[in-house]
Amino acid sequence: MKVAVFSAKKYDCDGFTQWADSSLQFSYHDCRLTKSSVKLAAGCHAVCVFVNDEVNAEVLQQLSELGIEMVALRCAGFNNVDLTTAKTLGIRVARVPAYSPEAVAEHTIGMMLCLNRKLHKAYNRVRDDNFALDGLLGFNVFGKTVGLVGTGRIGLATARILHGFGCQLLCHDLVQAEEIQRLGGRYVSLAELYAQSDIISLHCPLTPDTKHLINHYSIGSMKDGVMLINTSRGALVDSKAIIDGLKSRKIGYLGLDVYEQEADLFFENLSEQMIDDEVFKRLLTFPNVLITGHQAFFTREALQEICQITSDNLLAFASNTETGNELVN
């Protein structure tokens, strides 16, 4: 079975070589899947895509004309895929519903601690032989109230760690997990979560209902100096609204591993190019903002799971069976 892998980096190639079934034949393309690059899938039976690949109606139509019968997502989110069009065209879509949720949870906690104790600033100071503590004052995470928006696998993994820190947990999700109560947390409305949380962390999927969940109104209802962390999907946050929140000091700390317009930025080395995104460049000017390039998932264990589950999804399609990871059969 021939598979065209888009947005492929060296670690993707190495991972599939090491952990995917040897009967699968991968061709790797470092460009994103778009209407311009779709022709690279010619001669293949399936395409394998990531978070910023375009799998809209136009691209799916072109894929169908090339004889592509399956889209294998090597990620959990699928907001970039037009599932209705895929179903109409008879293209199977499968994802990796969970790959080491602890990886994302641990990165989330790392961002909280780094922002709070200003570890990134301290690192640079010491390298310049500056051992002054002025400007590095943090706070105890113990006893703080943390609001988790979304308590799926990643949200729960984050809750377990925060429980160990001695935090009070406020949660919001359409589906309530029993484990949250065992961890001493409770489910509340978004309004209560915003108003009472010292730290807010986003772990919900991107849907029409959650797009710009964090906006001028919701930021205005938060505590002054709140810490906001997003390791989920960039468009959960209105970027211009958080800039206003930073300027007004309503947001005291901001950690982003995702960004609304990240498709043209993340996963690439742009160090020798001019970045034209004025909103992103404005975010980088704030001393209380920490941005990482969608790396929260990036651990050895997670990469192995992604490769193995993606391989299983492709093999199931080839044998006309299912894995349970299908979004469109």
Side-chain angles (χ1 to χ4, degrees):
M1 182 178 182
K2 295 182 178 179
V3 183
V5 183
F6 288 87
S7 299
K9 304 302 178 190
K10 183 179 183 300
Y11 47 82
D12 293 306
C13 305
D14 293 343
F16 280 124
T17 299
Q18 184 173 358
W19 293 306
D21 190 277
S22 59
S23 67
L24 297 169
Q25 301 176 42
F26 295 101
S27 59
Y28 299 100
H29 309 284
D30 61 2
C31 59
R32 289 189 297 130
L33 175 61
T34 66
K35 63 181 181 181
S36 300
S37 65
V38 67
K39 58 184 178 291
L40 295 173
C44 293
H45 305 95
V47 294
C48 181
V49 300
F50 199 45
V51 293
N52 291 324
D53 289 300
E54 295 178 10
V55 200
N56 54 33
E58 183 178 0
V59 170
L60 284 166
Q61 182 62 50
Q62 290 179 276
L63 288 172
S64 180
E65 292 170 1
L66 290 172
I68 298 298
E69 299 176 293
M70 181 179 181
V71 173
L73 292 157
R74 56 185 191 276
C75 54
F78 51 91
N79 55 280
N80 56 329
V81 184
D82 187 329
L83 297 180
T84 302
T85 299
K87 187 175 183 64
T88 299
L89 294 171
I91 296 177
R92 180 184 286 199
V93 181
R95 63 173 179 153
V96 182
Y99 44 90
S100 187
E102 290 77 19
V104 181
E106 289 167 10
H107 191 85
T108 299
I109 302 301
M111 296 192 88
M112 291 179 187
L113 297 177
C114 187
L115 279 165
N116 172 28
R117 303 306 296 267
K118 303 172 180 62
L119 301 180
H120 52 312
K121 294 182 179 181
Y123 171 81
N124 288 323
R125 280 193 189 185
V126 170
R127 290 175 66 86
D128 290 333
D129 299 328
N130 179 357
F131 305 101
L133 298 183
D134 304 282
L136 301 181
L137 188 67
F139 58 83
N140 284 6
V141 175
F142 175 82
K144 293 298 184 291
T145 299
V146 182
L148 299 176
V149 182
T151 55
R153 291 182 176 92
I154 295 173
L156 277 175
T158 307
R160 294 184 196 111
I161 300 172
L162 291 168
H163 174 69
F165 273 87
C167 295
Q168 305 298 314
L169 299 176
L170 297 181
C171 303
H172 181 85
D173 201 315
L174 297 178
V175 179
Q176 298 187 5
E178 292 182 4
E179 186 175 351
I180 290 297
Q181 289 186 333
R182 294 198 295 271
L183 293 172
R186 61 189 180 94
Y187 283 92
V188 298
S189 66
L190 277 176
E192 185 175 347
L193 186 149
Y194 292 149
Q196 295 189 18
S197 298
D198 302 298
I199 302 170
I200 296 173
S201 189
L202 306 180
H203 300 285
C204 56
L206 176 62
T207 68
D209 290 333
T210 61
K211 182 176 181 179
H212 288 179
L213 184 72
I214 304 301
N215 50 49
H216 285 97
Y217 176 79
S218 57
I219 292 171
S221 64
M222 296 175 188
K223 284 187 175 182
D224 291 343
V226 67
M227 178 185 289
L228 177 64
I229 307 290
N230 186 13
T231 55
S232 186
R233 284 292 182 265
L236 295 175
V237 173
D238 182 336
S239 301
K240 293 181 179 179
I242 59 174
I243 287 175
D244 289 340
L246 288 162
K247 289 166 65 176
S248 68
R249 274 65 169 184
K250 175 62 77 170
I251 298 176
Y253 312 80
L254 177 66
L256 301 176
D257 185 57
V258 289
Y259 172 61
E260 191 170 7
Q261 303 299 328
E262 70 176 56
D264 295 325
L265 298 173
F266 289 3
F267 306 111
E268 304 296 337
N269 181 1
L270 305 179
S271 59
E272 297 184 4
Q273 299 182 33
M274 291 289 292
I275 294 179
D276 296 325
D277 189 326
E278 296 299 326
V279 173
F280 185 77
K281 290 199 293 186
R282 181 68 178 98
L283 284 170
L284 291 177
T285 65
F286 292 96
N288 53 344
V289 171
L290 177 64
I291 300 177
T292 53
H294 207 132
Q295 74 174 79
F297 79 99
F298 199 51
T299 66
R300 185 179 299 105
E301 293 82 358
L303 190 60
Q304 179 175 353
E305 286 192 59
I306 289 171
C307 293
Q308 289 177 335
I309 296 173
T310 300
S311 174
D312 291 343
N313 290 340
L314 288 164
L315 291 173
F317 169 71
S319 61
N320 197 29
T321 58
E322 297 179 6
T323 61
N325 300 325
E326 291 77 18
L327 298 167
V328 176
N329 293 326

